[in-house]
Amino acid sequence: MRTVLIAGAGIAGPALAFWLKAAGFEPTLLERACRLRSGGYVIDFWGLGYDIAERMGLIAEIGRIGYRVQETRIVDDTGRRIAGFGTRVFSELTGGRYVTLQRSDLSRLLFEKVSGRIETVFGDEIVALDERPDAVRVNLRGDGERRFDLMIGADGLHSSVRAMAFGPQSRFEKPLGYAVAAFELVGFRPRDENVYVIYGQPGRMVGRFTLRDDRTLFLLVFATQDAQLPATRDAQEAMLREVYGKGGWDCPRMLAELARADELYLDRVSQIRMPGWSRGRVALVGDAAFCVSLLAGQGSALAMISAYVLAGELGAARGDHRQAFAQYEARLRGYIGAKQRGAERFASAFAPKTRIGLHIRNLAIKAFAIPGLARFAIGRDVADIIQLPDYSWPLLDRSAAA
Ligand SMILES: Cc1cc2nc3c(=O)[nH]c(=O)nc-3n(C[C@H](O)[C@H](O)[C@H](O)COP(=O)(O)OP(=O)(O)OC[C@H]3O[C@@H](n4cnc5c(N)ncnc54)[C@H](O)[C@@H]3O)c2cc1C
């Protein structure tokens, strides 16, 4: 029991490859895209994910490329501040171990830890999967048939491995009633450095955040019951113009400049809820197994935690995958379930669907100015209720983790 095929080089995939290698396995990392994605949305990163990054020797670099957000500010149609709070509370709750960074930067840092040390395949994907008692046989579109002892899907919310091994996405997807779009504009003005500026109307919000190199990130979350979002860029832009066309604040200029964004990310805000994360020799990690959605604000950390625990359990079980998969799930299921329920609760506060809901949300945020209240309100969601198990890593390359 040695060889493990991992599909997906986002966050969970490279983290899993690193820890499997440290546990003595031979991982192969397969990524459908031709190269790692750059740009994209920013993520908040803290807690056990941060601890794992530290064990991988990534904290100095994360600190260098990360952003230290000072304030979350809610503005009205004219851009006037109507509520907000200093984000120092997050730093206090996490002992300063809290950073905001681009998801693609975290993905790149994780990948660099395994690049050159394991087999990596870009621009290919599995088209057929045959799980047998002694091995998993996969057919790769470009590379033909390959055989592995285990197969792990780390291929995100729309996982093909999940679809092939467990059934169609519709069986496990729980849409939260919102869609999310994200894009970057170069040279957008004004810039409010290190401030997360939020503008909301009933059922829709826009977040604006300044990045280095004169870039500005826009994150849009809006209510929708559409099961299918438009697939072409033109149709996606048309949808955003329709939803935000009557918006105040920066909306008109944001929409006017939308066409010059290099990439536009648009997806449903959904969770994945499965009765089990493994079947035979196939298991899932990260969003593929249990996507908590952006509303949990912690999906990347959870992806890393699941990778770490799965690799640790496989090492501890000396490759007995049945035992390892069962332990992996036993350790994490309750914890992940709590994060999913928290994200569902938070959905209505993030982009309230009614004017009164919006007003109440803003009042609640104003109340964060009362000393201690923000700490009390946010604390439960920021704290991790589990501890990272200590596994032995016989082949942990101390130089790679340094
Ligand atoms: C707008 C937004 C904001 C977010 N904010 C935060 C936040 O503040 N904090 C946080 O921690 N998390 C946040 N998240 C969640 C976080 O980005 C995800 O939970 C995390 O990226 C999951 O990692 P993953 O490796 O499981 O999946 P992904 O990062 O989605 O990676 C999956 C990889 O698999 C590849 N792939 C897909 N299909 C195949 C295939 N068939 N074969 C091979 N490869 C394939 C993809 O190209 C991709 O590289 C946010 C998400 C969104 C959308």
Side-chain angles (χ1 to χ4, degrees):
M1 176 67 70
R2 296 207 59 79
T3 58
V4 185
L5 176 63
I6 304 166
I11 305 293
L16 179 63
F18 178 90
W19 290 108
L20 277 178
K21 178 100 180 138
F25 292 84
E26 250 179 69
T28 293
L29 192 55
L30 169 73
E31 167 60 47
R32 183 169 58 184
C34 292
R35 55 187 167 79
L36 290 183
R37 272 170 51 195
S38 59
Y41 50 86
V42 290
I43 58 169
D44 298 322
F45 191 61
W46 77 94
L48 297 180
Y50 194 99
D51 295 350
I52 294 171
E54 186 167 52
R55 293 180 190 194
M56 296 175 74
L58 289 174
I59 290 306
E61 189 60 6
I62 284 178
R64 202 181 62 73
I65 60 176
Y67 295 88
R68 302 279 167 190
V69 182
Q70 304 294 323
E71 182 192 356
T72 294
R73 181 188 300 162
I74 300 190
V75 296
D76 67 9
D77 284 338
T78 63
R80 191 177 56 96
R81 184 184 192 282
I82 47 176
F85 59 99
T87 41
R88 209 180 58 200
V89 61
F90 292 111
S91 267
E92 285 169 5
L93 285 166
T94 58
R97 296 163 69 81
Y98 184 98
V99 65
T100 299
L101 78 168
Q102 283 200 284
R103 176 203 158 279
S104 54
D105 281 339
L106 179 60
S107 173
R108 175 178 54 78
L109 292 182
L110 291 167
F111 181 76
E112 282 170 3
K113 284 286 169 190
V114 289
S115 175
R117 301 175 61 232
I118 62 163
E119 181 189 11
T120 53
V121 182
F122 278 85
D124 207 345
E125 65 180 323
I126 303 164
V127 286
L129 187 159
D130 181 16
E131 195 259 325
R132 300 185 177 188
D134 63 330
V136 183
R137 284 170 203 275
V138 295
N139 240 309
L140 300 182
R141 190 181 299 286
D143 208 15
E145 191 175 302
R146 299 271 310 258
R147 178 201 169 284
F148 295 89
D149 293 322
L150 298 174
M151 155 93 240
I152 313 292
D155 49 347
L157 172 59
H158 302 284
S159 166
S160 309
V161 174
R162 183 180 58 233
M164 280 186 262
F166 298 84
Q169 171 136 351
S170 56
R171 203 185 289 168
F172 310 112
E173 180 174 353
K174 179 169 186 180
L176 296 185
Y178 292 89
V180 55
F183 57 91
E184 274 179 28
L185 292 173
V186 177
F188 189 89
R189 294 292 181 274
R191 285 173 69 81
D192 293 277
E193 304 289 342
N194 290 322
V195 178
Y196 198 73
V197 189
I198 295 176
Y199 167 74
Q201 289 183 309
R204 69 206 75 172
M205 64 77 75
V206 182
R208 192 193 72 196
F209 186 66
T210 53
L211 301 170
R212 294 190 189 90
D213 305 321
D214 205 14
R215 295 171 298 144
T216 295
L217 172 76
F218 285 93
L219 180 77
L220 285 56
V221 179
F222 54 97
T224 176
Q225 295 309 325
D226 289 355
Q228 289 303 324
L229 293 173
T232 66
R233 171 77 185 245
D234 281 352
Q236 291 173 341
E237 286 189 18
M239 180 179 209
L240 296 182
R241 287 183 211 293
E242 169 77 29
V243 176
Y244 289 94
K246 294 197 174 79
W249 182 58
D250 284 353
C251 289
R253 267 182 311 121
M254 172 189 83
L255 292 176
E257 298 189 30
L258 171 60
R260 65 179 183 81
D262 281 344
E263 281 186 29
L264 172 60
Y265 170 87
L266 178 72
D267 204 350
R268 294 185 293 275
V269 177
S270 291
Q271 293 186 338
I272 294 295
R273 298 193 176 188
M274 303 182 70
W277 298 335
S278 68
R279 174 173 287 179
R281 291 172 174 270
V282 182
L284 302 172
V285 284
D287 277 7
F290 52 71
C291 180
V292 289
S293 88
L294 77 138
L295 300 172
Q298 221 184 342
S300 304
L302 298 177
M304 289 175 65
I305 295 165
S306 64
Y308 176 89
V309 171
L310 180 59
E313 292 300 337
L314 277 166
R318 299 186 185 283
D320 177 343
H321 63 280
R322 278 184 213 86
Q323 184 188 328
F325 289 171
Q327 273 294 107
Y328 155 62
E329 206 161 321
R331 282 197 189 273
L332 294 183
R333 188 162 269 282
Y335 170 64
I336 300 282
K339 296 287 176 191
Q340 289 189 318
R341 289 189 294 280
E344 215 176 341
R345 277 198 307 274
F346 184 58
S348 55
F350 200 67
K353 290 182 179 165
T354 59
R355 195 153 285 284
I356 183 83
L358 204 60
H359 185 63
I360 292 169
R361 194 272 317 265
N362 292 346
L363 282 178
I365 288 179
K366 267 189 188 158
F368 277 13
I370 299 169
L373 191 63
R375 206 183 167 92
F376 175 74
I378 301 169
R380 189 173 65 153
D381 289 329
V382 169
D384 284 308
I385 53 167
I386 59 164
Q387 288 189 331
L388 280 185
D390 264 324
Y391 298 109
S392 79
W393 305 104
L395 296 190
L396 181 60
D397 180 347
R398 302 278 162 199
S399 62

